[in-house]
Amino acid sequence: MKRYYLFVLVVSLAAGLSGQNRKTDTRVITEDMRYSVEKPFSTWSLSVGYGSLMMFSDISSSSIVPDYRLRFAPTVLLSKQLAPSLAIDLQYLHGEMYGENSPHYFKGTLNDFSLNGVFYINQLGAFPGPVRDRWNFVFKMGLGANFFRSKLHFMDNDALVQESDFGMPSDRYMVAGYDPYNPEEKVEHQMELVVPVGLGVQYRINRHFDVGLESTMRFSTADNLDNVLTGSTNDRYMYTGVNLTYKVGRKDVRHLRWTYRGQGFNLFGRSRRDPLEAEVQMLEEAIQKYADRAPVQRDSVVVSYGLVEVYEAVSVRSLFFEPGARLDLGMAEQVLMAETVVDMKQNPTAALALYGYVDPDDTGDHEEISARQCEQVLDFLVNELGADPERIAVFPQGAQGAFSGAEGKRSQVVRSANRRVDMVFKK
């Protein structure tokens, strides 16, 4: 129990600290992967699973791996995703209860129904979303009920234990869900509340299927699963299993659990109210400070890179990158992007195009690197400055149209100029 609390605390603190350590997001996130309240996403899923069921009670081993044969149990889950970071699931677990502690053992069946809240840990960090677009890590907690039957036996001869064997003046048998005077006759199931607490991991196979692993400790509010009430703590049991999930919905629409929550949305998927108001005000003041460094306005001017016509009648602002699509996001770069967003808001019918370029000598896939550069700029414009993504187009150009120096030689200055994203504002 203490290990569970400690682990959950460490995970929560790590997520909180990483959320404060803001860096440039270098992930390539396409528009269908990005969360927005206006977009359609699949939200329902159905899972089936199978795993081990270990009892921790007065009549069972206290070790993580018991010294008797493990019991296994199937489970079924129906889940509804409420936001990228939150889901609820209805779970049914059926299995055999067993535990032994000389000279007794108990045996029975359980039917566990629970309603759980599922919290996606990787949506709490600095860059919310699935890890490598394949992994989700979750914490779950809920409330449920266990409908069970069980009997207490002697290990040496399998005889049923009576209360008189514990020195009590009664000939009742120590059973639950059976007639205590006729233990072969079933009566109504015994019912006790349970509190599931656990962790899990999900792996995305494709649009329709996921596979996962979960481990939950299910704490009972009573101490009678094994029919012995002498323990200092209530009985509990741990389920650890794998599951296969079918995501209900259209094959061309992502499931909500695999979307990327932008900085403009809170943990529950709701738009934040002016989350960057102070920063925008600071940038507006910086714009005035850097007014003397305003970008060159090119009106009806044709810019030719290697005699190839690229832009005409536009306003262009350029952001320069380091090798490997790394952007040092300083004040000057933020001011340029803020000015572009101001232009967009003042001209609601205008569009913005992002052209990404790399130097021909850069290693790697040039078009993929230029696409990463464009996505970084798009992410900041949309999620940090509130630009409308529907009005922004991305055009990764790779190394085509690169600058060259005298006699075709490229100096370090020329190479740096080639690694850029041009924000082309067409009025």
Side-chain angles (χ1 to χ4, degrees):
M1 176 66 178
K2 292 181 179 179
R3 293 177 182 175
Y4 261 80
Y5 284 139
L6 179 60
F7 183 79
V8 171
L9 178 61
V10 170
V11 169
S12 301
L13 289 175
L17 291 175
S18 65
Q20 297 175 18
N21 185 23
R22 297 295 304 277
K23 299 178 181 178
T24 300
D25 190 350
T26 60
R27 300 173 300 179
V28 178
I29 303 174
T30 58
E31 202 55 40
D32 69 307
M33 301 159 61
R34 197 185 306 275
Y35 172 75
S36 173
V37 292
E38 293 84 10
K39 296 178 184 176
F41 295 105
S42 301
T43 58
W44 288 97
S45 63
L46 181 65
S47 305
V48 293
Y50 193 72
S52 64
L53 189 63
M54 293 185 292
M55 306 301 299
F56 296 88
S57 65
D58 306 307
I59 309 297
S60 68
S61 171
S62 60
S63 62
I64 295 298
V65 180
D67 52 7
Y68 47 82
R69 180 176 62 87
L70 275 176
R71 269 57 178 177
F72 292 87
T75 186
V76 178
L77 300 96
L78 179 64
S79 299
K80 169 68 173 178
Q81 200 77 21
L82 303 178
S85 59
L86 177 65
I88 57 173
D89 68 44
L90 179 64
Q91 183 173 14
Y92 171 63
L93 176 67
H94 172 77
E96 178 185 354
M97 300 189 299
Y98 182 85
E100 63 181 46
N101 190 3
S102 184
H104 305 109
Y105 77 90
F106 81 97
K107 187 176 182 180
T109 58
L110 62 80
N111 295 276
D112 181 313
F113 299 86
S114 62
L115 185 65
N116 307 283
V118 183
F119 304 92
Y120 286 69
I121 299 171
N122 40 280
Q123 291 283 358
L124 307 179
F127 306 127
V131 178
R132 299 183 182 276
D133 202 36
R134 290 290 179 184
W135 299 92
N136 274 328
F137 300 91
V138 301
F139 166 74
K140 67 186 299 183
M141 185 174 183
L143 180 66
N146 178 16
F147 298 86
F148 67 96
R149 288 192 174 99
S150 65
K151 297 178 180 180
L152 187 63
H153 299 258
F154 285 105
M155 293 183 65
D156 56 355
N157 58 10
D158 290 331
L160 291 174
V161 179
Q162 294 179 282
E163 292 181 354
S164 58
D165 295 316
F166 281 83
M168 292 181 282
S170 171
D171 57 356
R172 290 166 55 97
Y173 288 93
M174 301 186 70
V175 296
Y178 299 91
D179 187 332
Y181 297 101
N182 181 15
E184 299 305 318
E185 181 180 344
K186 293 181 179 179
V187 295
E188 290 186 0
H189 287 86
Q190 186 83 20
M191 191 277 284
E192 297 296 346
L193 296 178
V194 293
V195 178
V197 179
L199 298 167
V201 59
Q202 301 168 349
Y203 178 79
R204 184 176 66 86
I205 300 175
N206 54 36
R207 287 279 187 177
H208 276 309
F209 290 97
D210 299 339
V211 66
L213 171 69
E214 75 163 89
S215 181
T216 54
M217 184 69 82
R218 311 177 88 84
F219 299 91
S220 175
T221 57
D223 190 31
N224 61 348
L225 298 182
D226 54 7
N227 298 288
V228 177
L229 307 177
T230 58
S232 59
T233 60
N234 291 338
D235 297 333
R236 57 198 185 279
Y237 48 98
M238 177 186 288
Y239 171 78
T240 302
V242 296
N243 57 64
L244 179 67
T245 300
Y246 174 74
K247 294 168 288 190
V248 181
R250 292 159 37 193
K251 65 180 181 180
D252 59 335
V253 175
R254 266 207 174 208
H255 195 279
L256 189 55
R257 68 168 60 164
W258 296 107
T259 59
Y260 294 76
R261 180 177 61 85
Q263 298 298 324
F265 300 94
N266 62 22
L267 288 177
F268 301 102
R270 298 293 179 262
S271 299
R272 291 173 176 166
R273 185 176 181 183
D274 298 327
L276 300 174
E277 184 175 354
E279 292 186 36
V280 170
Q281 182 178 357
M282 178 185 67
L283 289 173
E284 289 176 346
E285 295 173 354
I287 289 174
Q288 297 300 320
K289 179 179 177 181
Y290 286 89
D292 58 326
R293 296 178 58 186
V296 176
Q297 301 296 319
R298 312 177 192 178
D299 187 12
S300 300
V301 176
V302 176
V303 180
S304 180
Y305 299 160
L307 302 180
V308 177
E309 182 178 293
V310 180
Y311 312 129
E312 184 176 7
V314 296
S315 170
V316 179
R317 299 178 176 91
S318 297
L319 296 169
F320 298 96
F321 286 72
E322 297 295 326
R326 185 169 64 87
L327 175 63
D328 291 330
L329 202 58
M331 179 60 70
E333 289 75 17
Q334 295 183 51
V335 168
L336 288 177
M337 286 188 278
E339 289 177 328
T340 302
V341 173
V342 170
D343 284 346
M344 293 180 67
K345 292 185 177 181
Q346 291 176 346
N347 300 272
T349 61
L352 178 68
L354 303 179
Y355 291 86
Y357 299 90
V358 299
D359 188 75
D361 293 336
D362 288 345
T363 58
D365 186 324
H366 290 166
E367 186 157 338
E368 189 270 337
I369 296 173
S370 63
R372 284 165 51 195
Q373 294 177 172
C374 291
E375 287 293 338
Q376 290 184 60
V377 177
L378 175 65
D379 181 74
F380 193 89
L381 292 172
V382 173
N383 293 322
E384 300 293 343
L385 298 177
D388 182 1
E390 302 298 329
R391 297 170 56 197
I392 304 176
V394 174
F395 301 99
Q397 302 296 300
Q400 63 176 304
F403 292 127
S404 60
E407 299 181 356
K409 297 180 180 179
R410 286 186 295 275
S411 65
Q412 186 62 41
V413 174
V414 172
R415 292 193 185 98
S416 298
N418 282 332
R419 303 183 190 105
R420 73 188 189 281
V421 169
D422 289 338
M423 297 182 290
V424 181
F425 183 69
K426 301 184 178 181
K427 297 180 179 178

